[in-house]
Every structure is written in structure tokens, then in C-alpha cells.
Amino acid sequence: MRGLWKAYGAKVAVAGIDLDVPAGSFYGLVGPNGAGKTTALSMASGLLRPDAGSVRIHGRDLWADPLAVKAQIGVLPDGVRLFDRLTGAQLVTYAGLLQGLDRPTVTARTGDLLAAMGLTADAGTLVVDYSAGMTKKIALACALVHAPRILLLDEPFEAVDPVSAANIRQILASYVASGGTVIVSSHVMDLVQRMCDHVAIISAGHVLAAGGVDEVRGDASLEDRFVELVGGRASGEGLAWLHTSPASS
């Protein structure tokens, strides 16, 4: 990403972000709410056109050749919007067919992905009847069905139960080990610290620090380094009434 800029009226969401994501890395984007993470990911995936700047994926300009470049990426966007009157199996099948895969390949991959996500028993259930966690998993399956070289995932573990989250982490770790690249935004610092090998801290549309996780956090935890750079920690003063002792019986 080079010089990415996006404003909504007077509000600047992303202010000239420069970022290099190495191929084969597990890259975390962390930042407070409203930092610009989702906007940056949306521009990097071609869902949102920047006001200025460029995105190059494996050397190819995203906006100069969008169809060819988008074929290489899988996207789990913020606030997933799905064709939720399809069943889970139908939705993944549809996503695969849209990517140009033949039906036998799509059928086989859909079965594999539903099994990996723990959704085989719900393959025939309408997505509108899925829980929030199940919806997140079926959306991830849609992002994976065409075996992209790069995954851009916005809060992939939000509303996902711990067992499912562990399964998803294992799937993504295997994907990276085989040469894929994952870019993931998350508010959970411990998760990013354990899962990612690279990280960028974003605040107010700017990159405050970027590089290897150990390089960025230094001698502190990633959370402490994040708070140090972003600031805004409240002391809790003025809440003395919360500390009153319980009434005696």
C-alpha cells in the first residue's frame, strides 16, 4: 500500500498509509475503533476506491487490473452481508461458481470447507438461521473456496466460540505454512501476538509502528506497546461509588 488516503467529507479515515506485507506472512492490523483498519482493508481488497494512493498485489496494480488481482484474494469484510436465503452449502457453492470454478470442484471443496468449519450438520440450513459465529464461519468458507493466494480478514474471530476459533486458527496457520498470506484485523492483542508474525499499529488513519511482532513490541507485551503508542487509557477516577463495601447483613 502506498499513500492510501480516504476521506468522508471532512473526516479523514485513512491519511496516507504506506505498508508492505511480505508474501507468506501472517500480518495483524491492530488499532482502536475508528482507527481506519476496516477502511484500509476495504481499499486493499478493492471493495473501496481510495481518494489517492495505490495498492499492488504480487506486483500488479489492483485498480489497473481489478478482475485479475481480485481473483488472487479472498475477503472476509466487516459487517458481513450474505445471500442469507441460501443454505450454507448453496452459499459456498455459489461463491465458488462466481470465481469460475467448475461444479465438481466446487462441490468437493464445499464439502471440505463445511467439515473444516464444523458446519456439515448445518449445510442444509438457511444462512439467515445461522448464529453470528456460524455466519462468520460460512463467510470465511466463501473467502477460501477458490484457494486464493491472499486472505484479507476483518475481525474473523468476532462472535466465534473458542473451539471454532481454534479450528480457524489452525486452518489459517496451515494456509500460511503452505505459502499463503493472511492479513487480519483484530482488537484482541493476545490473539495477534500469538498468531501473527508481523503487525501494524494503526491510529487516526496513520501507521504508528509496523514490522515483525517482536520488533514492534520490544521488551513489552503487544498490548502495552499498543497503549503506549495510541494512548487514551483512562484512570477510572471519579468512580469511587463503585468501591463502596457491601451493606452488612
Side-chain angles (χ1 to χ4, degrees), residues 70-82:
K70 287 180 183 180
Q72 301 182 65
I73 63 179
V75 182
L76 179 67
D78 178 53
V80 179
R81 299 291 183 268
L82 302 173

Side-chain angles (χ1 to χ4, degrees), residues 165-177:
N167 290 339
I168 291 172
R169 288 199 302 273
Q170 184 177 2
I171 291 167
L172 296 179
S174 176
Y175 172 81
V176 171

Side-chain angles (χ1 to χ4, degrees), residues 16-169:
I17 280 181
D18 294 325
L19 202 61
D20 292 299
V21 177
S25 65
F26 207 135
Y27 207 108
L29 298 182
V30 297
N33 291 328
K37 303 186 303 298
T38 292
T39 302
L41 277 181
S42 295
M43 290 190 287
S45 61
L47 292 174
L48 181 66
R49 185 179 290 274
D51 295 335
S54 63
V55 176
R56 302 187 71 84
I57 294 178
H58 290 294
R60 304 179 74 168
D61 189 307
L62 170 62
W63 292 105
D65 194 4
L67 291 181
V69 176
K70 287 180 183 180
Q72 301 182 65
I73 63 179
V75 182
L76 179 67
D78 178 53
V80 179
R81 299 291 183 268
L82 302 173
F83 297 110
D84 58 11
R85 293 294 173 175
L86 299 177
T87 68
Q90 288 171 337
L91 183 63
V92 179
T93 298
Y94 182 54
L97 293 175
L98 283 178
Q99 291 288 350
L101 300 176
D102 62 78
R103 188 169 287 275
T105 299
V106 172
T107 299
R109 291 185 180 182
T110 296
D112 292 342
L113 286 165
L114 290 171
M117 300 294 173
L119 294 172
T120 300
D122 299 291
T125 301
L126 295 179
V127 174
V128 71
D129 294 324
Y130 278 12
S131 67
M134 292 165 67
T135 301
K136 185 79 73 169
K137 290 192 289 183
I138 202 68
L140 180 57
C142 291
L144 288 165
V145 68
H146 61 297
R149 298 178 68 185
I150 299 173
L151 283 174
L152 294 102
L153 312 176
D154 201 349
E155 296 288 352
F157 300 102
E158 189 175 41
V160 177
D161 66 85
V163 174
S164 295
N167 290 339
I168 291 172
R169 288 199 302 273

Side-chain angles (χ1 to χ4, degrees), residues 204-225:
H206 297 275
V207 175
L208 303 184
V213 169
D214 290 339
E215 174 189 354
V216 169
R217 71 183 180 185
D219 296 328
S221 69
L222 185 60
E223 181 175 357
D224 288 341
R225 180 63 171 149

